[in-house]
Structure formats: structure tokens, C-alpha cells
Amino acid sequence: MDSLKILFVGNSFAVDTMQHTAGVAKDLGIQNIKFGVLFVGACSIDMHYAHAMGDLPAYAYHTNTGDGWSVVDGYRISDAIKSDDWDWIAIQHGTKAPSRYTSSHYYRNLTPLIQYIKELAPKNTKIAFNLTWMGEHTSQHHEIVSYEGNTALMREKLIEVTKEMVCSNPLVDLLVPTGTAVENARTSQIGLLTRDCYHLSMDKGRYIAALTFIASITGLPIDSVSWVPKGVDEYALKVAIESANNAIKAPFEITPSKIDR
């Protein structure tokens, strides 16, 4: 694979997921890349659909062609989709509702949103859905409080609705188990993977997400990846690779780490 173009219609968790993807992709030998993230904070599927139907310039558009990220404000979903021949367009659930979007009615506009995307995208563009992570159980964020700190129950409900509303959707080509990889890594001695008990840490957390995302999208083996962002040591690299691989093998199960410090 010598080129890869990915557009993410997302929110802050999409920015977290994509931040280190260029470094990982180039390490895997993919030199010609274009990655884009359409960002509105905490944006849900319903919000994306409303923006699409109104053709609203609601987004900050982050792009990376291998030399770092740049941002342009006031972007429309339609403009971003039509700007290139994307291999993949990714979406995910929102991050704002107290229930963390664990009820099926929050996905009522998933199919219409994908249909809108497909009408504008190249015929061969595939659709990925990013399964995100839980916050730290000690967080006072509204989503954690709504589950009385029981992040395991929250994850169980999120997995249920994902199977029901995403995996069964014939328009979704791939589920990316980013959240499962983060949970896998939390069984190790890697330490905290968030910067505010909610968003991923700039180094290890975002790196795990990038490895999982690129490995899922490309199908390429990541065992020999050596590129790491600042702050990721050799132990964290091994845990990150292990966690991503295990998540791809078992996307709905938390697999304990076997790597010792």
C-alpha cells in the first residue's frame, strides 16, 4: 500500500484518534497520505446529520499530508467529502450526552448520515465506525456521574448498542475497536491514558488509538512499528502494539496485558 486517504467526520475524540496516525502510517511504508478531521466539539450523529442537511459551515477542518496538522475554520461536510477521492470516511458516536449515547434512538440518523456521505463520496469509499473509550472511573464528567462511576456497565451498554445499531448496519464496512485497545492497555502498568480523565493523553493514549485505527483500516501488521511520539518509551510501545492487536482480534472483549515492565 503506497497511499491512504482518510476523512473523519468527528469531534474531539476523532482528533485524539487521528493525531499520531501519520507517523504510524509512514512507519508502515505508506508515504502518500492525506488525513482529514472535521471537528465540532462533542458532535453527535444527530448533530452531524443536521449540519449535513443544512450544509452548514460548522467545522474546523484539520488536515495532514505527512508534515503535521493544519486547520481551516468554517468548513462544510460536503466540501470536505468532495475535496478528494477518500479511501475511507470514518464516523463515531458523540461524547456529550450523560448516557454516552448508549441508547439505540441516538443512532436513528446513522443510516441517513452514511447515505448522505455516500452520495457525495467516490463510489469505492468505505465507511468505518470508531468505537471510543471510557473515561477514567474517578472522573466527575457527566457521563461518568450518570453511571455512578461504573464505567464497566457503561462500556457493556455501549457494546450492546454498537452491536445492535452499528455492526448490523450494512452500510458500515468496518468497526475500529479503538476503545477496546485503550481498555486493554489499562490492564497493564502503562499508567493513565487520559489527560483530563476523558480525552486521551497526548502521548500514550493517542498513540494506542493511532495504532489501532491504522492497523484496522489497512490490515497491515504493526508488530515491527518503531515510530513513537515523544513520551512513549519502549514498554509503552510494546503495550500499545499488544493492546491494538488484541482489540482487533477481540473487539468487544478486554484482553489483559501479558507484558511485564
Side-chain angles (χ1 to χ4, degrees), residues 115-233:
Q115 288 172 334
Y116 170 84
I117 290 170
K118 283 183 166 293
E119 286 176 2
L120 299 177
K123 182 179 180 180
N124 294 327
T125 300
K126 293 183 178 180
I127 302 296
F129 192 95
N130 192 40
L131 178 66
T132 55
W133 50 93
M134 301 294 99
E136 305 291 345
H137 72 278
T138 56
S139 173
Q140 291 303 302
H141 193 276
H142 54 72
E143 68 160 21
I144 304 298
V145 172
S146 71
Y147 275 85
E148 298 180 349
N150 191 342
T151 54
L153 177 60
M154 184 191 300
R155 176 176 164 79
E156 178 183 327
K157 295 298 184 183
L158 183 59
I159 294 298
E160 287 178 4
V161 77
T162 299
K163 288 180 178 179
E164 177 189 358
M165 302 304 295
V166 178
C167 297
S168 65
N169 192 316
L171 297 180
V172 177
D173 297 292
L174 177 70
L175 180 75
V176 180
T178 303
T180 301
V182 172
E183 299 302 328
N184 289 346
R186 283 173 170 161
T187 68
S188 72
Q189 297 174 300
I190 200 170
L192 288 177
L193 295 174
T194 58
R195 59 187 186 273
D196 55 5
C197 294
Y198 187 58
H199 295 90
L200 291 179
S201 59
M202 298 293 190
D203 45 22
K204 296 186 288 288
R206 285 180 162 187
Y207 184 61
I208 292 168
L211 279 173
T212 308
F213 196 85
I214 293 299
S216 297
I217 289 286
T218 65
L220 295 173
I222 56 171
D223 300 76
S224 299
V225 168
S226 59
W227 178 88
V228 295
K230 184 178 180 180
V232 175
D233 60 17

